[in-house]
Amino acid sequence: MRRSLRALMAAGILAAAGITGLTLAGPAQADTQICDQYGSTTIGGRYVVMNNRWGTSAQQCINVTSTGFAITSQQGTGNTSGAPVSYPAVYYGCHYTNCSPGTNLPIQVSQISSATSSISYNYVSGATYDAAYDIWLDPSPKKDGVNAQEIMIWFNRQGSIQPIGSRVTTATIGGRTWDVWTGSNGSNAVVSYVAPSPITSWSFSVLDFINDTKTRSSVTNSWYLTSIQAGFEPWIGGAGLAVTNFSAAVNGGGPAPSNPSSPSPSTPSGGTACRVTYATNVWDTGFTADVKVANTGGSALNGWTLGFTLPAGQSITGSWNATLSGTSGAITARNVSHNGSVPAGGSTSFGFQGTYSGSFASPSAFTLNGTTCSRG
């Protein structure tokens, strides 16, 4: 049994000690170390990082940075046919009464117009673990206790471990192919999407995974998204594993409208080879960016979604020729009615204006419909 059962165990331990909820520390500075079993802190004024050593009495320490965390010490050893020893993670939303600063979660699925995220992992060899990205849903706007549905995205797994339940099929989501597992840990239903090979970084639509899960579970649009989490489940070892960057943005207002006579921005075609040219004009504390997206593949695009992450300190104030989700961190740009079709060998463009603090930098990577693009 995995995380939901772990959370129950943790809650039982805390309740026995007379504690009904964890207390968040103040905003973390770079290189803040947490060794407390359930210690946590905030980063970026937006996310919570938790140690969450629930399945072992051996010490685990994490080093918290401004954009994520790293496991510096992991002394527990779990049974690979059973549960892992911990789930150190960073999250947006609410987890056992602890809500990240300023979050708009829980939010009803029907009210989500976009939910995007960006994640970068650092992996190590010689350990048994999975790199897990969790999406939690419940029929009620629940901020405490176990949620009814867990979606797990395994970006990497090492060793003789497997998700809860059994493998049922494969699915293509975000331009990637996933092995799909379904099951229950006795406390909640679980749908797991397992990458066939390790993924070190990705910007993607969380809503794509929610929509696929709706076809495999009891989740409906009336359910609530309560939290988005990214971390590791170590069984053996794990020192050096790190989430080097995490961001998430969930926007309300309902599904993005579509024009029946033009490609729908919410249903792009599959991934294709691509090249992105990112040109900027920078001044004082402001900038503009002109983004050219070239289809270098062999087939036409019928609707497109470009994902990227703005460097820290940057924020978007306006845009043109695309519908943007998010203003900082993980950004998703979707085509508008007149530029959704891009023939093979063709290109389209859009732009935005923003502000920045500190030194200016460009996004490090772009994905078109889930496929990583080259830079031009």
Side-chain angles (χ1 to χ4, degrees):
M1 295 187 182
R2 307 291 170 96
R3 187 138 56 260
S4 292
L5 185 53
R6 296 203 302 272
L8 282 173
M9 294 168 65
I13 292 170
L14 294 174
I19 301 173
T20 56
L22 297 176
T23 301
L24 297 178
Q29 304 299 315
D31 300 327
T32 297
Q33 187 177 70
I34 299 177
C35 295
D36 292 343
Q37 184 173 8
Y38 301 109
S40 63
T41 190
T42 60
I43 61 173
R46 183 175 173 82
Y47 310 111
V48 176
V49 176
M50 59 182 179
N51 196 23
N52 198 16
R53 173 178 57 82
W54 69 273
T56 178
S57 59
Q59 187 181 62
Q60 172 180 280
C61 295
I62 60 174
N63 192 56
V64 182
T65 70
S66 60
T67 58
F69 70 92
I71 301 175
T72 57
S73 173
Q74 171 51 262
Q75 300 173 14
T77 300
N79 183 345
T80 56
S81 62
V85 299
S86 64
Y87 181 58
V90 55
Y91 69 86
Y92 176 78
C94 297
H95 176 83
Y96 276 78
T97 73
N98 290 330
C99 295
S100 57
T103 184
N104 59 344
L105 305 186
I107 184 173
Q108 201 163 35
V109 172
S110 63
Q111 295 304 307
I112 300 174
S113 59
S114 66
T116 56
S117 185
S118 180
I119 181 71
S120 295
Y121 287 105
N122 182 68
Y123 301 134
V124 299
S125 59
T128 300
Y129 65 91
D130 67 72
Y133 191 104
D134 265 21
I135 304 165
W136 287 94
L137 301 131
D138 197 80
S140 65
K142 197 169 188 178
K143 296 182 179 181
D144 61 346
V146 177
N147 285 187
Q149 180 69 57
E150 178 182 15
I151 301 173
M152 297 191 75
I153 308 172
W154 282 25
F155 280 65
N156 187 11
R157 64 167 166 173
Q158 297 295 317
S160 57
I161 56 175
Q162 66 182 43
I164 290 169
S166 58
R167 182 183 178 278
V168 294
T169 188
T170 60
T172 300
I173 302 174
R176 297 178 182 272
T177 300
W178 307 85
D179 292 327
V180 182
W181 294 61
T182 60
S184 173
N185 61 21
S187 299
N188 58 268
V190 185
V191 177
S192 299
Y193 298 89
V194 181
S197 59
I199 300 171
T200 56
S201 63
W202 196 31
S203 296
F204 63 100
S205 169
V206 173
L207 197 56
D208 287 347
F209 286 92
I210 295 175
N211 287 335
D212 187 82
T213 297
K214 287 192 299 185
T215 69
R216 310 178 191 280
S217 70
S218 58
V219 172
T220 68
N221 282 335
S222 66
W223 283 43
Y224 291 81
L225 171 64
T226 63
S227 70
I228 297 169
Q229 309 177 354
F232 297 94
E233 293 185 314
W235 273 259
I236 303 171
L241 292 171
V243 172
T244 57
N245 185 76
F246 171 82
S247 61
V250 180
N251 295 301
S258 61
N259 185 338
S261 63
S262 63
S264 169
S266 60
T267 56
S269 58
T272 187
C274 50
R275 182 179 65 253
V276 169
T277 303
Y278 190 82
T280 59
N281 180 30
V282 182
W283 67 92
D284 295 331
T285 59
F287 72 99
T288 59
D290 291 307
V291 186
K292 180 180 178 181
V293 182
N295 177 3
T296 59
S299 59
L301 283 171
N302 183 25
W304 52 265
T305 297
L306 188 75
F308 57 95
T309 299
L310 288 178
Q314 296 185 17
S315 181
I316 295 174
T317 58
S319 63
W320 53 92
N321 290 335
T323 300
L324 268 60
S325 299
T327 58
S328 61
I331 305 296
T332 299
R334 289 181 170 85
N335 66 274
V336 291
S337 60
H338 65 268
N339 64 358
S341 295
V342 184
S347 64
T348 188
S349 62
F350 68 95
F352 56 88
Q353 182 172 338
T355 60
Y356 76 97
S357 59
S359 59
F360 183 83
S362 298
S364 60
F366 296 86
T367 58
L368 182 65
N369 293 356
T371 297
T372 300
C373 299
S374 63
R375 297 292 294 271

